[in-house]
Amino acid sequence: MTAVADRAAEAAARVSATVGTAADDWDRAGRIPDDVVRPLAEAGLLCPDVPAGFGGPGLTMAELGEFTAHVGALCSSLRSLMTSQGMVAWAVRKLGDQAQQEQYLRRLATGATAAVAFSEAGAGSDLSAMGTTITADGDRVEVTGTKVWVTGSAYADLVLVFGRYGAGGAAVLVPTDAPGVTVTRVADPLGCRAAGHSEVRLDGVVLPAGHLLGGAGMPLEWLVTSVLTYGRLSVAWGCVGMLRACASAAARHAATREQFGKPLAEHQLVGRHLAELHVAEQAATRLCEHAARLWDGGSPDHVVAAVSAKHFAATQAVAGASSAVQVLASAGAVDGHVVARAYRDAKLMEIIEGSSEISQLLLARHSVARWT
Ligand SMILES: Cc1cc2nc3c(=O)[nH]c(=O)nc-3n(C[C@H](O)[C@H](O)[C@H](O)COP(=O)(O)OP(=O)(O)OC[C@H]3O[C@@H](n4cnc5c(N)ncnc54)[C@H](O)[C@@H]3O)c2cc1C
C-alpha cells in the first residue's frame, strides 16, 4: 500500500471505531454528538481529499471514494456531512484565490465544519430560479435570501451560499454566527435524520469581500455544476456503502434463519434478492471507480461519469434496501435496524444532487450529443 492508501485505511478504521454501533441511536436522536463531529473535522476526515499542503489527509478521489463508501455503510448521516463539507472544500479549491485557499482549506481540514446551500423554496430542480442575491460594494459583500434543506448546516461554522450576482452567479462563504443568519432545523426528515438539514435565512448579511469566492459573475449553472459534480460522486459512493450494508445484513440473515426446514438463502426466490444485491453493489462500485479514475486523471468526461454513477447507485440503493428489508421481513422492519435505516436513507439519494429525473435528462442530453 502507498502512504496515502495507508492513510485511507487508517481513516476508515478511525471512523469505524468512532461510529461503532451508535448510528441508529444518532438517527433516532436526530443528531450526531458534537464530540463526535468536531474531532473528525479536526482530523480532516470530513474532507480528506484536501491536499497535505493545506493540512489535509490528501486522499485521491479513488481513495476518498472507498472511504466514503465505508462511512456510507456505517452511517448515511455522517456520510452526508462529509459530502457537504467536501463540496465546500472542493469549491474553495476550484474557485478560491490563493489567500482564500490558504485560509479556508486549512480551516476546513483542521476543525471547521461547513455546508453548501443552493436550494430555495422556489428553486429545487430548477436552480436557475434562485432568488438569493449577492452584491459587492468595495470591500464588502452582502447576501440576502433563504435556502432550504441545507444538509449539515445545523453543525456548520460556514455555509457556502450560491446566489445571483448581476447577470451571473456567485458563491459566498457565510459564517453561521454572522449577524443576519438564522438556521432552523427541518423537523423529522424521512431519512439521514442526524444530518442536520436546516433552512438558512440570510437577512442582509454583510461580510468582508474576502468571503466572496472567485468566479463571481460566471454563469450560475457553471458554478453550481462544478460543485455538484463532487457531490454526485460522493453520494454515489455513499450508496455503494448502503448497498454493502444491505447485502451483508441480508446474506447473514438468509444464511442462518431457517423456514420450511432450510436456510432462507436456499429458497430460490430469497436467493434471487441476494444475487441482485450482489450485482447492484458490484456494478455501482465499478461505475464509481470509473468516475473517480476520470476525475483523478483530469478527464472532462468525469462530469457525465459522476451523473451516471450517482443515478445508477441511487436507484440501486433504493431497490437494494427494499430487497434487504424483504429478506429480513419482520426482523428488519423495525426502527434501529440497519436495513430499515437504509430503506429510508436510500430514497433521499434519488432526490439530492440532481434527482433521478434530472439525472436522466442530463444523461439523455449527453447520449444525443454522443451518438448523433
Ligand atoms: C435529504 C435532502 C438533503 C438535501 N441537501 C441539500 C443541501 O445540502 N443543499 C441544498 O442546496 N439543497 C439540498 N437539498 C435540496 C435538494 O437539492 C432538492 O430537494 C432537489 O433539488 C429537488 O428539488 P425539490 O425538492 O424542490 O423538488 P422539485 O424540483 O419540485 O421536483 C419535484 C419532482 O419533480 C421532478 N422534476 C422536476 N423538474 C423536472 C423535469 N424538468 N423533468 C422531469 N422531472 C422533473 C423531480 O425530479 C422531482 O421528482 C436536499 C434535499 C433533501 C431531501
Side-chain angles (χ1 to χ4, degrees), residues 182-278:
T182 313
V183 177
T184 310
R185 288 286 295 256
V186 172
D188 306 321
L190 169 68
C192 298
R193 290 170 175 169
H197 312 294
S198 307
E199 176 189 278
V200 179
R201 220 174 101 189
L202 306 131
D203 288 320
V205 178
V206 176
L207 299 164
H211 287 250
L212 180 66
L213 290 187
M218 294 285 283
L220 191 55
E221 191 186 348
W222 181 85
L223 287 170
V224 163
T225 303
S226 23
V227 179
L228 270 182
T229 298
Y230 182 105
R232 286 172 177 150
L233 193 44
S234 178
V235 166
W237 278 111
C239 290
V240 165
M242 269 191 267
L243 281 165
R244 289 178 185 169
C246 286
S248 156
R252 282 183 286 117
H253 184 77
T256 51
R257 162 110 173 137
E258 293 195 359
Q259 287 292 280
F260 300 99
K262 58 183 180 181
L264 291 175
E266 289 177 26
H267 295 288
Q268 291 177 341
L269 292 178
V270 177
R272 189 191 61 194
H273 287 301
L274 302 183
E276 286 175 353
L277 267 162
H278 169 75

Side-chain angles (χ1 to χ4, degrees), residues 269-290:
L269 292 178
V270 177
R272 189 191 61 194
H273 287 301
L274 302 183
E276 286 175 353
L277 267 162
H278 169 75
V279 173
E281 183 274 319
Q282 289 284 298
T285 301
R286 296 294 93 77
L287 276 177
C288 286
E289 286 172 346
H290 175 64

Side-chain angles (χ1 to χ4, degrees), residues 116-119 124-125 149-151 197 348 351-352 355 357-358 361:
V116 59
F118 308 104
S119 307
S125 300
W149 278 95
V150 183
T151 301
H197 312 294
L348 301 182
I351 298 172
I352 59 172
S355 65
E357 289 79 9
I358 297 302
L361 293 178

Side-chain angles (χ1 to χ4, degrees):
M1 269 200 297
T2 65
V4 175
D6 279 346
R7 282 202 295 278
E10 241 171 64
R14 167 137 187 208
V15 173
S16 287
T18 303
V19 176
T21 55
D24 289 309
D25 292 341
W26 299 343
D27 191 57
R28 274 190 288 238
R31 179 135 195 128
I32 304 174
D34 290 342
D35 63 5
V36 170
V37 175
R38 198 57 75 175
L40 291 175
E42 284 165 1
L45 296 181
L46 297 185
C47 49
D49 53 322
V50 168
F54 296 105
L59 302 190
T60 63
M61 208 53 168
E63 287 156 345
L64 173 66
E66 271 300 332
F67 176 62
T68 304
H70 183 82
V71 180
L74 293 170
C75 176
S76 282
S77 290
L78 181 57
R79 196 276 310 146
S80 301
L81 299 191
M82 273 182 64
T83 298
S84 299
Q85 176 119 351
M87 285 166 88
V88 176
W90 174 247
V92 174
R93 280 170 78 181
K94 194 160 169 87
L95 305 173
D97 60 28
Q98 202 156 357
Q100 288 171 326
Q101 294 195 12
E102 185 54 45
Q103 181 186 351
Y104 290 113
L105 284 179
R106 201 164 284 286
R107 278 187 66 191
L108 291 169
T110 57
T113 47
V116 59
F118 308 104
S119 307
E120 300 177 5
S125 300
D126 179 11
L127 289 175
S128 71
M130 209 179 267
T132 294
T133 56
I134 299 171
T135 51
D137 181 9
D139 57 359
R140 298 176 346 149
V141 58
E142 184 169 334
V143 192
T144 296
T146 302
K147 298 295 185 178
V148 296
W149 278 95
V150 183
T151 301
S153 52
Y155 301 91
D157 302 313
L158 294 165
V159 177
L160 181 65
V161 176
F162 284 78
R164 308 198 154 282
Y165 182 88
V172 182
L173 280 160
V174 178
T176 47
D177 61 0
V181 179
T182 313
V183 177
T184 310
R185 288 286 295 256
V186 172
D188 306 321
L190 169 68
C192 298
R193 290 170 175 169
H197 312 294
S198 307
E199 176 189 278
V200 179
R201 220 174 101 189
L202 306 131
D203 288 320
V205 178
V206 176
L207 299 164
H211 287 250
L212 180 66
L213 290 187
M218 294 285 283
L220 191 55
E221 191 186 348
W222 181 85
L223 287 170
V224 163
T225 303
S226 23
V227 179
L228 270 182
T229 298
Y230 182 105
R232 286 172 177 150
L233 193 44
S234 178
V235 166
W237 278 111
C239 290
V240 165
M242 269 191 267
L243 281 165
R244 289 178 185 169
C246 286
S248 156
R252 282 183 286 117
H253 184 77
T256 51
R257 162 110 173 137
E258 293 195 359
Q259 287 292 280
F260 300 99
K262 58 183 180 181
L264 291 175
E266 289 177 26
H267 295 288
Q268 291 177 341
L269 292 178
V270 177
R272 189 191 61 194
H273 287 301
L274 302 183
E276 286 175 353
L277 267 162
H278 169 75
V279 173
E281 183 274 319
Q282 289 284 298
T285 301
R286 296 294 93 77
L287 276 177
C288 286
E289 286 172 346
H290 175 64
R293 256 196 312 275
L294 292 174
W295 181 299
D296 284 330
S299 164
D301 294 342
H302 78 271
V303 176
V304 171
V307 178
S308 304
K310 190 270 176 182
H311 176 54
F312 183 77
T315 50
Q316 292 301 311
V318 171
S322 172
S323 293
V325 172
Q326 194 68 20
V327 169
L328 277 101
S330 60
V334 281
D335 221 5
H337 196 289
V338 66
V339 297
R341 182 157 46 83
Y343 187 72
R344 289 185 285 99
D345 293 346
K347 186 61 200 168
L348 301 182
M349 303 304 115
E350 283 201 306
I351 298 172
I352 59 172
E353 319 299 0
S355 65
S356 290
E357 289 79 9
I358 297 302
S359 302
Q360 285 171 310
L361 293 178
L362 293 172
L363 294 170
R365 208 189 301 161
H366 169 74
S367 180
V368 170
R370 179 179 174 192
W371 296 109
T372 59

